[in-house]
Short mmCIF file of all heavy atoms in Angstrom, two decimals:
data_model
loop_
_atom_site.label_atom_id
_atom_site.label_comp_id
_atom_site.label_asym_id
_atom_site.label_seq_id
_atom_site.Cartn_x
_atom_site.Cartn_y
_atom_site.Cartn_z
N ASP B 21 -13.64 48.58 11.33
CA ASP B 21 -13.83 49.37 12.57
C ASP B 21 -12.72 49.01 13.58
O ASP B 21 -12.60 47.84 13.97
CB ASP B 21 -15.23 49.05 13.13
CG ASP B 21 -15.57 49.97 14.29
OD1 ASP B 21 -14.65 50.44 14.99
OD2 ASP B 21 -16.78 50.18 14.52
N ILE B 60 -13.05 12.86 20.87
CA ILE B 60 -11.85 13.70 21.08
C ILE B 60 -12.27 15.13 21.37
O ILE B 60 -11.81 15.78 22.29
CB ILE B 60 -10.93 13.64 19.85
CG1 ILE B 60 -10.37 12.23 19.69
CG2 ILE B 60 -9.80 14.68 19.96
CD1 ILE B 60 -9.68 11.99 18.35
N ALA B 98 -4.88 9.98 21.62
CA ALA B 98 -4.00 8.83 21.79
C ALA B 98 -4.76 7.65 22.42
O ALA B 98 -4.64 6.51 21.97
CB ALA B 98 -2.80 9.20 22.66
N LEU B 259 -23.68 36.45 9.10
CA LEU B 259 -25.11 36.35 9.48
C LEU B 259 -25.27 36.56 10.98
O LEU B 259 -26.21 37.24 11.43
CB LEU B 259 -25.69 35.02 9.04
CG LEU B 259 -25.94 34.85 7.55
CD1 LEU B 259 -26.42 33.43 7.25
CD2 LEU B 259 -26.97 35.84 7.03
N GLY B 268 -21.48 30.17 16.43
CA GLY B 268 -21.38 28.69 16.27
C GLY B 268 -22.67 28.08 15.72
O GLY B 268 -22.65 27.39 14.70
N TYR B 279 -26.35 20.99 3.49
CA TYR B 279 -26.21 19.53 3.37
C TYR B 279 -27.53 18.92 2.92
O TYR B 279 -27.59 18.09 2.00
CB TYR B 279 -25.77 18.95 4.73
CG TYR B 279 -25.65 17.45 4.77
CD1 TYR B 279 -24.79 16.78 3.91
CD2 TYR B 279 -26.41 16.71 5.68
CE1 TYR B 279 -24.72 15.40 3.94
CE2 TYR B 279 -26.30 15.34 5.72
CZ TYR B 279 -25.47 14.68 4.85
OH TYR B 279 -25.37 13.30 4.90
#
Side-chain angles (χ1 to χ4, degrees):
Chain B
D21 188 332
I60 294 167
L259 287 175
Y279 177 59

